[in-house]
Amino acid sequence: MLVKDKKILATGYNGAPSRLEHCLDIGCLREKMGIPSGERHELCRGLHAEQNAIIQAAYHGVEIRGATLYCTNHPCIICSKMIINAGIQKIVYEEGYADLLAKEMLKESGIEMEKFDRKTSSEGSKQ
């Protein structure tokens, strides 16, 4: 989800491009080839939620420069390069991801990274 000034700009989902069958329905090429998580992203029918959020913003003409991206996992290298060039200024994520190049490039870009701990945050809100 892309947010700016407390307004949702665009959302995204993990899945195949519009009007195409999802790998859950026809089988996962990466799984069949034994490709580990975090590698060879180009060999996948699906797009990551980060990619779809950026694409949806472009499709609908929504400016996302300066926005914050909220996502479940630390972005992969393909998503990271798109995030950098889209001008997103902050990423809030919950889980890590096995992609060291993505971490290095995001750090080098100066994008603010914040790891969100749902458990700690929910405990803090109960007090």
Side-chain angles (χ1 to χ4, degrees):
M1 173 180 1
L2 289 165
V3 175
K4 187 173 182 182
D5 299 326
K6 298 184 181 181
K7 294 181 181 146
I8 296 172
L9 304 176
T11 61
Y13 61 91
N14 291 323
S18 298
R19 299 177 304 281
L20 298 184
E21 292 186 89
H22 194 282
C23 57
L24 292 174
D25 300 321
I26 63 171
C28 175
L29 176 63
R30 292 169 45 83
E31 193 174 277
K32 289 176 188 172
M33 296 175 72
I35 298 170
S37 180
E39 296 179 17
R40 304 291 314 268
H41 298 287
E42 75 280 6
L43 295 175
C44 180
R45 291 182 64 84
L47 293 128
H48 288 169
E50 300 92 330
Q51 294 167 326
N52 267 321
I54 292 168
I55 291 165
Q56 284 300 308
Y59 186 84
H60 294 287
V62 176
E63 164 124 17
I64 58 173
R65 184 183 311 129
T68 297
L69 172 71
Y70 292 87
C71 49
T72 306
N73 294 309
H74 187 286
C76 73
I77 188 59
I78 293 173
C79 291
S80 295
K81 291 185 284 187
M82 292 176 69
I83 289 164
I84 292 165
N85 277 359
I88 293 167
Q89 73 177 23
K90 181 177 179 179
I91 300 170
V92 179
Y93 66 98
E94 188 173 6
E95 302 290 332
Y97 195 70
D99 196 328
L100 295 177
L101 182 57
K103 290 177 185 176
E104 291 172 13
M105 288 184 74
L106 287 168
K107 183 177 181 181
E108 183 180 345
S109 76
I111 292 175
E112 182 182 349
M113 302 295 295
E114 181 181 325
K115 188 169 184 345
F116 176 77
D117 186 339
R118 188 184 318 232
K119 184 177 179 186
T120 303
S121 295
S122 64
E123 287 174 1
S125 64
K126 292 178 185 176
Q127 296 176 0

